CSV table of all heavy atoms in Angstrom, one decimal:
chain,number,residue,atom,x,y,z
A,241,ASP,N,30.8,-166.8,111.9
A,241,ASP,CA,29.6,-166.6,112.7
A,241,ASP,C,28.6,-165.8,112.0
A,241,ASP,O,27.4,-166.2,112.0
A,241,ASP,CB,30.0,-166.0,114.0
A,241,ASP,CG,30.8,-166.9,114.9
A,241,ASP,OD1,31.0,-168.1,114.6
A,241,ASP,OD2,31.1,-166.5,116.0
A,245,ARG,N,24.9,-167.3,110.9
A,245,ARG,CA,23.6,-166.7,111.5
A,245,ARG,C,22.7,-166.2,110.3
A,245,ARG,O,21.5,-166.4,110.4
A,245,ARG,CB,24.0,-165.6,112.4
A,245,ARG,CG,24.6,-166.0,113.7
A,245,ARG,CD,24.5,-164.9,114.7
A,245,ARG,NE,25.0,-165.3,116.1
A,245,ARG,CZ,26.3,-165.1,116.5
A,245,ARG,NH1,27.1,-164.5,115.7
A,245,ARG,NH2,26.6,-165.5,117.7
A,265,TRP,N,21.4,-180.1,116.1
A,265,TRP,CA,22.2,-179.3,115.2
A,265,TRP,C,23.7,-179.7,115.2
A,265,TRP,O,24.4,-179.9,114.2
A,265,TRP,CB,22.0,-177.8,115.5
A,265,TRP,CG,22.8,-176.9,114.6
A,265,TRP,CD1,23.8,-176.0,115.0
A,265,TRP,CD2,22.8,-176.8,113.2
A,265,TRP,NE1,24.3,-175.3,113.9
A,265,TRP,CE2,23.7,-175.8,112.8
A,265,TRP,CE3,22.1,-177.5,112.2
A,265,TRP,CZ2,23.9,-175.4,111.5
A,265,TRP,CZ3,22.3,-177.1,110.8
A,265,TRP,CH2,23.2,-176.1,110.5
A,266,PRO,N,24.3,-179.8,116.4
A,266,PRO,CA,25.8,-180.2,116.4
A,266,PRO,C,26.0,-181.5,115.7
A,266,PRO,O,27.0,-181.7,115.0
A,266,PRO,CB,26.1,-180.3,117.9
A,266,PRO,CG,25.1,-179.4,118.6
A,266,PRO,CD,23.8,-179.5,117.8
A,269,LEU,N,25.8,-181.0,111.8
A,269,LEU,CA,27.0,-180.4,111.3
A,269,LEU,C,28.1,-181.4,111.1
A,269,LEU,O,28.8,-181.5,110.0
A,269,LEU,CB,27.5,-179.3,112.2
A,269,LEU,CG,26.7,-178.0,112.2
A,269,LEU,CD1,27.3,-177.0,113.2
A,269,LEU,CD2,26.8,-177.3,110.8
A,307,CYS,N,36.9,-179.7,113.7
A,307,CYS,CA,36.5,-178.5,114.4
A,307,CYS,C,35.1,-178.7,115.1
A,307,CYS,O,35.0,-178.3,116.2
A,307,CYS,CB,36.4,-177.4,113.3
A,307,CYS,SG,35.7,-175.9,114.0
A,308,PHE,N,34.2,-179.3,114.4
A,308,PHE,CA,32.9,-179.6,114.9
A,308,PHE,C,32.9,-180.5,116.1
A,308,PHE,O,32.2,-180.4,117.1
A,308,PHE,CB,31.9,-180.1,113.9
A,308,PHE,CG,31.6,-179.1,112.8
A,308,PHE,CD1,31.4,-179.5,111.5
A,308,PHE,CD2,31.5,-177.8,113.1
A,308,PHE,CE1,31.0,-178.6,110.5
A,308,PHE,CE2,31.2,-176.8,112.1
A,308,PHE,CZ,30.9,-177.2,110.8
A,310,ALA,N,35.4,-180.9,118.1
A,310,ALA,CA,36.0,-180.1,119.3
A,310,ALA,C,35.0,-179.2,119.9
A,310,ALA,O,35.0,-178.9,121.1
A,310,ALA,CB,37.3,-179.4,118.8
A,311,GLN,N,34.2,-178.5,119.0
A,311,GLN,CA,33.2,-177.5,119.5
A,311,GLN,C,32.1,-178.1,120.3
A,311,GLN,O,31.5,-177.5,121.2
A,311,GLN,CB,32.7,-176.7,118.4
A,311,GLN,CG,33.7,-175.7,117.8
A,311,GLN,CD,33.1,-174.9,116.7
A,311,GLN,OE1,32.4,-175.4,115.8
A,311,GLN,NE2,33.4,-173.6,116.7
A,312,GLY,N,31.7,-179.3,119.9
A,312,GLY,CA,30.6,-180.0,120.6
A,312,GLY,C,29.3,-179.2,120.5
A,312,GLY,O,28.9,-178.6,119.5
A,313,SER,N,28.6,-179.0,121.6
A,313,SER,CA,27.3,-178.3,121.6
A,313,SER,C,27.4,-176.8,121.4
A,313,SER,O,26.4,-176.1,121.3
A,313,SER,CB,26.5,-178.6,122.9
A,313,SER,OG,27.3,-178.1,124.1
A,314,GLU,N,28.6,-176.3,121.4
A,314,GLU,CA,28.8,-174.8,121.3
A,314,GLU,C,28.2,-174.3,119.9
A,314,GLU,O,27.8,-173.1,119.8
A,314,GLU,CB,30.3,-174.4,121.3
A,314,GLU,CG,30.9,-174.7,122.7
A,314,GLU,CD,32.4,-174.4,122.6
A,314,GLU,OE1,32.9,-173.8,121.6
A,314,GLU,OE2,33.1,-174.8,123.6
A,315,THR,N,28.1,-175.2,118.9
A,315,THR,CA,27.6,-174.7,117.6
A,315,THR,C,26.1,-174.3,117.7
A,315,THR,O,25.6,-173.7,116.7
A,315,THR,CB,27.8,-175.9,116.6
A,315,THR,OG1,27.2,-177.1,117.1
A,315,THR,CG2,29.3,-176.1,116.3
A,316,ARG,N,25.4,-174.7,118.7
A,316,ARG,CA,24.0,-174.3,118.8
A,316,ARG,C,23.9,-172.8,119.0
A,316,ARG,O,22.8,-172.2,118.8
A,316,ARG,CB,23.3,-175.0,120.0
A,316,ARG,CG,23.1,-176.5,119.8
A,316,ARG,CD,22.0,-177.0,120.7
A,316,ARG,NE,22.1,-178.5,120.8
A,316,ARG,CZ,22.7,-179.2,121.7
A,316,ARG,NH1,23.4,-178.5,122.7
A,316,ARG,NH2,22.7,-180.5,121.7
A,317,ALA,N,25.0,-172.1,119.5
A,317,ALA,CA,24.9,-170.7,119.8
A,317,ALA,C,24.6,-169.9,118.6
A,317,ALA,O,24.1,-168.7,118.7
A,317,ALA,CB,26.2,-170.3,120.4
A,318,LEU,N,24.8,-170.4,117.4
A,318,LEU,CA,24.6,-169.6,116.1
A,318,LEU,C,23.1,-169.8,115.6
A,318,LEU,O,22.8,-169.1,114.6
A,318,LEU,CB,25.6,-170.0,115.1
A,318,LEU,CG,27.1,-169.8,115.4
A,318,LEU,CD1,28.0,-170.2,114.3
A,318,LEU,CD2,27.3,-168.3,115.8
A,319,LEU,N,22.4,-170.7,116.2
A,319,LEU,CA,21.0,-170.9,115.7
A,319,LEU,C,20.1,-169.7,116.1
A,319,LEU,O,20.3,-169.0,117.1
A,319,LEU,CB,20.4,-172.1,116.4
A,319,LEU,CG,21.0,-173.5,116.0
A,319,LEU,CD1,20.5,-174.5,116.9
A,319,LEU,CD2,20.7,-173.8,114.6
Side-chain angles (χ1 to χ4, degrees):
D241 290 358
R245 288 193 177 97
W265 180 240
L269 284 174
C307 172
F308 292 146
Q311 286 182 318
S313 61
E314 294 176 10
T315 54
R316 291 197 196 99
L318 300 180
L319 293 170

